[in-house]
Amino acid sequence: MVKELRRGMVHGIPIALGYLSVSFGFGIKAVRSGLSVLTAAIISALNLTSAGQAAGVEIIAAGGPLLEMILVQLTINIRYSLMAISLSQKLDEKFTFPHRLAASYGITDEIFAVCSAQERKITPAYMYGMIFVAFLGWVSGTALGAAAGQLLPEPINNAMGIVLYGMFLAIIVPPARKKLSVFIVVAIAAAISVLIKYCLEFITSGFAVIISAVIASAVGALFFPVKEDSV
Amino acid sequence: MSLVLYITVMAGITYLIRAIPFTFFTKKIRSRYLRSFLYYIPYAVLSAMTIPAIFYSTGSVITAAAGTAAALILSYFGMPLIVVALSASAAAFIAGLFL
């Protein structure tokens, strides 16, 4: 139990470091949009998501209708539903209903990524440890950014922007190197994502990720079905 | 419109999107096709999120390309996540010094 919690916390450290810089940017943006430091930190604590929060703050600043808030959050965050279903297949028996209700709060792109890269089943303690550390990075980064504005010099701030993407590559490259099927799925998803970005600009980034991932995975599942025990 | 209402709606939607599927998919999915689909989803999602966004993550395509190259090389050799992530950032920073 304690061991699992600690393992989760250690695995959460790179996530928290990446979050620090991203949420720092969110904090700056929130204050510029007229929110207080406390409000910015509360939004980060309740949502634990980057793109959704940034869009939400814009709607608040513009005084947009609640329906817009609902639709935008649904669109940007619907990818979490896919991740949640995928992760639900990897859960340990200890994951009872209350644990599922609690841990679902912490399904972010990065936490999902690190959890799905684990060879073993996911326990509640492991996920809580990771969520806790990531939460600290996310909320403190928001508060710092909101309070201090541009605290870090610009070149460092810019360079920090790539941290999370570097982590994503570290997760997908090793299995893509070992398995041709994973490599092909990754390549298809990247190709569709590029196509949407440059040719179908009306599609928002949240939808772009969903479309790319669903098509690539559907093709992968059709041509390279996995063995019975490998999920 | 009150700030509390906005924030409640925002947080509520974000939570339900995660909690409903996570809580109610308790059975093992039997279909081999669906299981394969879900096996590939994480890699596909991360790939689509990273490319091409990574090239716009540092404010300069050139420094981002340097960081991407560092991340690709180090992850190819199986370096730990934190090493790859911070090296990508360091490479982008160093490339920025030469611009």
Side-chain angles (χ1 to χ4, degrees), chain B residues 1-98:
Chain B
M1 198 101 48
S2 99
L3 188 59
V4 175
L5 190 59
Y6 272 126
I7 294 177
T8 310
V9 167
M10 185 176 162
I13 297 279
T14 307
Y15 176 71
L16 290 177
I17 283 173
R18 290 163 164 158
I20 293 172
F22 200 60
T23 310
F24 293 99
F25 271 85
T26 50
K27 289 221 178 78
K28 202 84 188 152
I29 293 171
R30 294 270 161 236
S31 150
R32 193 178 180 204
Y33 181 80
L34 270 183
R35 287 162 61 83
S36 304
F37 177 80
L38 292 175
Y39 169 81
Y40 289 120
I41 275 287
Y43 304 116
V45 165
L46 293 179
S47 175
M49 283 186 56
T50 305
I51 297 166
I54 192 170
F55 296 105
Y56 301 97
S57 64
T58 63
S60 147
V61 178
I62 298 168
T63 62
T68 306
L72 283 175
I73 293 166
L74 291 173
S75 56
Y76 185 83
F77 291 106
M79 293 289 141
L81 298 189
I82 181 84
V83 173
V84 176
L86 292 181
S87 302
S89 187
F93 178 76
I94 293 167
L97 298 178
F98 293 98

Side-chain angles (χ1 to χ4, degrees), chain A residues 128-211:
Chain A
Y128 292 148
M130 188 181 297
I131 292 168
F132 176 67
V133 172
F135 171 90
L136 287 184
W138 186 246
V139 176
S140 61
T142 304
L144 282 175
Q150 293 280 14
L151 196 75
L152 293 172
E154 179 116 358
I156 293 183
N157 228 351
N158 281 341
M160 291 286 271
I162 203 171
V163 168
L164 291 177
Y165 294 112
M167 199 178 89
F168 291 163
L169 286 178
I171 291 169
I172 51 183
V173 169
R177 185 189 166 188
K178 279 189 212 117
K179 284 189 185 169
L180 180 65
S181 59
V182 174
F183 178 80
I184 291 173
V185 168
V186 161
I188 294 173
I192 298 171
S193 173
V194 168
L195 185 80
I196 291 175
K197 165 89 180 172
Y198 298 109
C199 305
L200 303 165
E201 284 163 35
F202 60 93
I203 298 176
T204 56
S205 60
F207 266 130
V209 169
I210 296 170
I211 295 168

